[in-house]
Amino acid sequence: MELSWVMKLRIAAAAAVGAVLIGIFAWPLSEPSQTSGAINQSGAAALLALALLAGFIGYFVSWPYGREIGILAVPFGLAVWAVRSGSMATLMQLNPTDAQRNAVVQSLRWQPVFWLVVVAAGFVGPLLCRKIVSKPRPAERGQGSKPNPGTYLSPIIAIAAAAVIAHLGIGILAQDVRLPDERLGFVSAQPALGQLAFGVLVSFGLAAFAVRKLLGVGYIWPIMASAFVTAFAMSTYAKNVPYLAQQWPAFFFSNAVASVLPAQMVAFGTLGSVAGYWMAARYDYWREHEM
């Protein structure tokens, strides 16, 4: 089940919309340092509005598959933003003291939540468009199933499993130079941007593939797991900041996951999760029709 060239054009069109609106037009909203990709409160409202607009436009440029493809506009745009941002190593070099680095790490710990809200705004656009464009279906009584404990347990398990898989995968695939350390066991240097993007994409792709196959859930839960991966990595890194500052240059980390900025984690993690989900669906289709 290969993607047709028309489908590839639809994906490229949605990606272009996100790249222009989020990656280019929204870039001036970032703080003056433009290193961590953080933005101020007024800029956040504008960015959310642009994300919603990107979702709307992405829906129509990828018609009639706007629901499936239009949601990719904002993650692609955020990926451009992530590429244009600096690196975690640069951020540490700009903040040489222990207190400064701890403050930076604390500010980054839950920053992925904001980027997930931006991604969610981009998802809302196609969903609203679908409701507006598609014909409403008459409600049928008795069709809804009552929730059971498994309904709530599966997403929790999916988030936890995806976070573990992604964390392990990034630690393996995104690491650069790795040197031994008496206290930490080893330290990992800041990876190149291409390697970092590859590691996050593949890791979340594997996570989404696994949770879909094992739990039958969608890509929303692996995407949400990106916030927990960053939170755990930053918490671990914060404990080792004083030691690393004394013993190693700023571009060395206790784990490669700590070298991924929040915007990079969410952007590439979202794209990887969506790709992994559809790869699992494609695999199921192949098993059913080709074997």
Side-chain angles (χ1 to χ4, degrees):
M1 190 171 60
E2 295 290 336
L3 287 176
S4 65
W5 66 270
V6 177
M7 189 66 73
K8 292 178 181 178
L9 285 177
R10 292 189 179 104
I11 296 174
V17 169
V20 172
L21 289 180
I22 305 299
I24 298 177
F25 285 172
W27 180 247
L29 300 175
S30 60
E31 290 181 347
S33 65
Q34 293 185 339
T35 303
S36 65
I39 65 175
N40 55 40
Q41 189 172 1
S42 60
L47 179 58
L48 290 174
L50 284 173
L52 185 63
L53 178 62
F56 273 113
I57 299 176
Y59 179 88
F60 291 105
V61 300
S62 55
W63 177 268
Y65 301 102
R67 168 62 181 84
E68 293 76 16
I69 300 176
I71 61 172
L72 296 176
V74 170
F76 271 116
L78 192 56
V80 175
W81 187 304
V83 169
R84 298 184 69 181
S85 298
S87 66
M88 187 68 174
T90 302
L91 198 56
M92 293 298 101
Q93 289 174 334
L94 294 175
N95 298 273
T97 68
D98 295 351
Q100 288 175 324
R101 292 184 180 180
N102 271 312
V104 170
V105 171
Q106 294 301 326
S107 68
L108 295 179
R109 181 176 295 180
W110 292 108
Q111 196 184 101
V113 174
F114 169 74
W115 297 117
L116 287 175
V117 172
V118 174
V119 171
F123 280 25
V124 167
L127 291 175
L128 290 177
C129 287
R130 186 177 185 180
K131 287 188 176 182
I132 295 171
V133 174
S134 61
K135 296 181 180 180
R137 297 179 180 179
E140 298 181 8
R141 294 183 179 180
Q143 292 297 320
S145 58
K146 294 183 179 180
N148 54 67
T151 305
Y152 304 103
L153 188 60
S154 291
I156 296 174
I157 296 175
I159 292 175
V164 171
I165 294 172
H167 189 278
L168 293 174
I170 296 170
I172 296 172
L173 299 175
Q175 66 174 328
D176 192 74
V177 177
R178 185 173 174 176
L179 298 177
D181 180 84
E182 294 182 357
R183 176 175 170 179
L184 302 177
F186 67 90
V187 291
S188 182
Q190 173 75 49
L193 179 60
Q195 185 178 2
L196 183 150
F198 170 80
V200 178
L201 276 166
V202 173
S203 298
F204 276 93
L206 292 173
F209 186 97
V211 298
R212 188 199 186 278
K213 292 294 296 177
L214 297 177
L215 300 172
V217 298
Y219 46 71
I220 296 299
W221 311 116
I223 291 174
M224 291 180 63
S226 61
F228 294 94
V229 174
T230 295
F232 178 78
M234 292 301 163
S235 298
T236 304
Y237 178 54
K239 297 177 181 178
N240 298 313
V241 162
Y243 174 76
L244 289 168
Q246 294 177 1
Q247 301 294 328
W248 294 95
F251 53 86
F252 278 98
F253 303 88
S254 53
N255 189 288
V257 186
S259 66
V260 184
L261 289 170
Q264 296 169 337
M265 186 73 76
V266 172
F268 300 126
T270 299
L271 293 174
S273 296
V274 175
Y277 171 85
W278 287 112
M279 286 181 65
R282 180 180 177 183
Y283 176 77
D284 288 340
Y285 179 89
W286 174 78
R287 288 286 301 271
E288 182 178 353
H289 295 88
E290 301 295 335
M291 292 187 68

